[in-house]
Amino acid sequence: MRAHEAGALHGEGYRGPTWLQTPVDVNALVPSLWAGSVNRGSDGVLAVGGMSVTELAQDFGTPAYIIDEDDFRSRARDFKETYAEVFDGLSGGADVFYAGKAFLCTEVARWVHDEGLHLDVCTGGELAVARRAGVPGERIGLHGNNKSVAEIRDALDYGVSRIVIDSFDEIERVAAVATELGVVAPVLIRVTVGVEAHTHEFIATAHEDQKFGLSLSGGHAFEAARRILDKPESLRLLGLHSHIGSQIFDTAGFEVSARRIIGLHTRIARDLGVELPELDLGGGFGIAYTTEHDPLPPKHLAAGMAEIIERECRAEQVAVPRISVEPGRAIAGPTTFTLYEVGTVKPVDLDGGAQRVYVSVDGGMSDNVRTALYDANYSCTLAGRASTADPVLARVVGRHCESGDIIVKDEFLPADVGAGDLIAVPGTGAYCRSLSSQYNHTPRPPVVAVRDGVARTIVRRETIDDLLALDV
Ligand SMILES: Cc1ncc(COP(=O)(O)O)c(C=O)c1O
């Protein structure tokens, strides 16, 4: 249970959370929070990919998700090249599957494919996007804890390279569809390893009280392997899969999960006589949303993971399987900021004499629900101009009928922020558009890609007609 947002924060002389420093220069950008091409021009206006935010607001309206295409492509490429290089001598390279749940549209699926990554989809809808983008089946993996027969059929029909099995029911379901289509389905087993990692902490638990995967400690994952290997006419077991959490900043959690999953991999080799060729270590690599976060570059993560995998495989005397990973947030998150226009500004007195300025913008929890859903922290900046005013503690809120409709809980903005100003919130490329809603019948913002001074809509803004189109 969580206390009401405002309640817990009322306190004497409240100046925001401890990680939030009063800025020396309220116009300065923290580079780790922004896409590579974002800068504040000499006119004080934020620019991305050679376009100013005032031009973007004029041409595309607000709110809008603004994505730096080169930044997305270079993060994707960096993951692909780094993992291939680091695992080259160990397991003949590694495959990177972009986790489409972070953010997917046809154009982004094309970028992912162009850059040589594979794509992880977890519904028939995401698969349809991948197909429209022309991503071939052999570059696609299908996830999900309750895939329908229709989704499995579509995936096998399209020739996906792997289906990640999440339950005993699914073994039978995938086998039945494969038999019907006359194919052998390549599958992985999603294993619950009893490790949960979030930010800098991880917990290793004995029981795994959540919906995903087949339990390692309960013997379900091993039993799943036995059942799959029993159906060679319809299923081909490629390997094991484990995903341990999100916003992970170090390899401590991987250390425990790798030991456990390689233990299972070895037991399958010993007791069932099959050394599985692949192992997927999932996603969950962290990004910086505020100055409190300090993510590791992919190179360090990959090197740490390689060292752990090599050590564990050597200890178990098994060959290193081909590794794959599934980053979503770490590729998409930092590439995008959301551009809003301020509608109203309201100072609110806090207990103890402090004051907070509530800045209402033209979007809200319908375009970024992470603050309300996960208590996530974001930062933001005045985007359409620089200011010489003193910084004041502000909270950026939306226009929805919820007091929890908060986008940025705590940030310093210049005291002269007012109606008509543009505000940019960085780090909104992952789990914002993909988790967006039409709450209060609010049309969802467009996604605008910027590159080399050219901006183009890659997902158009919804209209009131779109909203009404489904009403019968
Ligand atoms: C199986 C699996 N792989 C990959 C991801 C992507 O995680 P992230 O976007 O944190 O990298 C998720 C996220 O939920 C997941 O469940």
Side-chain angles (χ1 to χ4, degrees), residues 99 101 120 143 190 241 243 246 283-285 326-329 431:
K101 66 204 80 183
D120 147 20
H143 263 286
R190 181 156 177 180
H241 174 289
H243 169 81
S246 60
F285 314 118
E326 297 170 342
R329 185 192 317 269
Y431 306 108

Side-chain angles (χ1 to χ4, degrees), residues 240-259:
L240 305 176
H241 174 289
S242 103
H243 169 81
I244 58 171
S246 60
Q247 274 294 79
I248 301 169
F249 289 108
D250 58 36
T251 50
F254 285 116
E255 180 121 31
V256 180
S257 72
R259 186 169 311 135

Side-chain angles (χ1 to χ4, degrees), residues 228-246:
I228 291 168
L229 290 169
D230 236 20
K231 297 181 185 297
E233 67 294 342
S234 54
L235 302 176
R236 186 169 82 254
L237 183 55
L238 297 177
L240 305 176
H241 174 289
S242 103
H243 169 81
I244 58 171
S246 60

Side-chain angles (χ1 to χ4, degrees), residues 3 22 86 95 109 125 144 146 148 209 225 232 249 263 275 317 360-361 363 425-426:
T22 312
V86 168
D95 300 312
N146 185 15
S148 70
D209 190 4
F249 289 108
E275 213 166 295
Q317 296 183 324
S360 292
V361 296
V425 177

Side-chain angles (χ1 to χ4, degrees), residues 204-219:
T205 53
H207 82 290
E208 301 118 346
D209 190 4
Q210 49 100 3
K211 71 173 184 172
F212 290 111
L214 286 139
S215 146
L216 188 150
S217 63

Side-chain angles (χ1 to χ4, degrees), residues 383-449:
R385 64 185 173 92
S387 168
T388 51
D390 284 340
V392 291
L393 186 63
R395 171 165 285 178
V396 179
V397 297
R399 56 194 298 278
H400 296 287
C401 298
E402 296 278 339
S403 54
D405 173 26
I406 297 168
I407 303 167
V408 182
K409 286 186 287 184
D410 301 284
E411 178 60 288
F412 283 96
L413 286 173
D416 62 355
V417 59
D421 269 327
L422 295 173
I423 296 276
V425 177
T428 58
Y431 306 108
C432 287
R433 180 59 171 75
S434 61
L435 279 171
S436 66
S437 73
Q438 298 159 328
Y439 181 46
N440 295 141
H441 275 63
T442 306
R444 285 177 292 187
V447 183
V448 176

Side-chain angles (χ1 to χ4, degrees), residues 141-427:
L142 177 68
H143 263 286
N145 69 301
N146 185 15
K147 307 166 195 75
S148 70
V149 169
E151 286 172 321
I152 294 166
R153 191 178 292 123
D154 278 353
L156 287 179
D157 196 39
Y158 194 56
V160 300
S161 65
R162 45 165 65 179
I163 294 182
V164 184
I165 296 276
D166 200 277
S167 63
F168 291 129
D169 286 324
E170 225 169 58
I171 296 174
E172 303 306 322
R173 202 171 292 157
V174 174
V177 176
T179 303
E180 169 199 318
L181 296 177
V183 298
V184 177
V187 299
L188 300 176
I189 299 170
R190 181 156 177 180
V191 181
T192 318
V193 288
V195 171
E196 207 189 319
H198 290 288
T199 63
H200 295 282
E201 291 168 7
F202 78 93
I203 358 168
T205 53
H207 82 290
E208 301 118 346
D209 190 4
Q210 49 100 3
K211 71 173 184 172
F212 290 111
L214 286 139
S215 146
L216 188 150
S217 63
H220 296 172
F222 180 81
E223 173 58 15
R226 198 192 59 72
R227 291 190 196 182
I228 291 168
L229 290 169
D230 236 20
K231 297 181 185 297
E233 67 294 342
S234 54
L235 302 176
R236 186 169 82 254
L237 183 55
L238 297 177
L240 305 176
H241 174 289
S242 103
H243 169 81
I244 58 171
S246 60
Q247 274 294 79
I248 301 169
F249 289 108
D250 58 36
T251 50
F254 285 116
E255 180 121 31
V256 180
S257 72
R259 186 169 311 135
R260 292 183 180 177
I261 202 149
I262 287 167
L264 175 62
H265 173 93
T266 309
R267 193 175 155 220
I268 291 169
R270 193 187 57 217
D271 296 355
L272 302 178
V274 181
E275 213 166 295
L276 300 173
E278 297 188 23
L279 174 63
D280 191 305
L281 298 171
F285 314 118
I287 66 164
Y289 285 106
T290 68
T291 51
E292 76 192 300
H293 302 130
D294 188 16
L296 281 179
K299 194 167 263 173
H300 286 68
L301 274 173
M305 288 167 97
E307 196 189 313
I308 293 166
I309 296 289
E310 184 179 22
R311 185 179 344 116
E312 296 305 322
C313 286
R314 199 176 333 109
E316 297 281 6
Q317 296 183 324
V318 288
V320 177
R322 186 166 177 96
I323 298 296
S324 48
V325 288
E326 297 170 342
R329 185 192 317 269
I331 292 176
T335 65
T336 300
F337 61 83
T338 313
L339 190 62
Y340 299 101
E341 186 179 300
V342 175
T344 66
V345 173
K346 190 189 291 181
V348 172
D349 293 332
L350 307 181
D351 294 344
Q355 213 177 51
R356 193 204 307 273
V357 176
Y358 274 74
V359 177
S360 292
V361 296
D362 50 358
M365 64 194 301
S366 57
D367 59 72
N368 184 354
V369 75
R370 292 192 65 259
T371 310
L373 190 60
Y374 303 124
D375 203 20
N377 290 318
Y378 280 89
S379 54
C380 65
T381 194
L382 187 65
R385 64 185 173 92
S387 168
T388 51
D390 284 340
V392 291
L393 186 63
R395 171 165 285 178
V396 179
V397 297
R399 56 194 298 278
H400 296 287
C401 298
E402 296 278 339
S403 54
D405 173 26
I406 297 168
I407 303 167
V408 182
K409 286 186 287 184
D410 301 284
E411 178 60 288
F412 283 96
L413 286 173
D416 62 355
V417 59
D421 269 327
L422 295 173
I423 296 276
V425 177

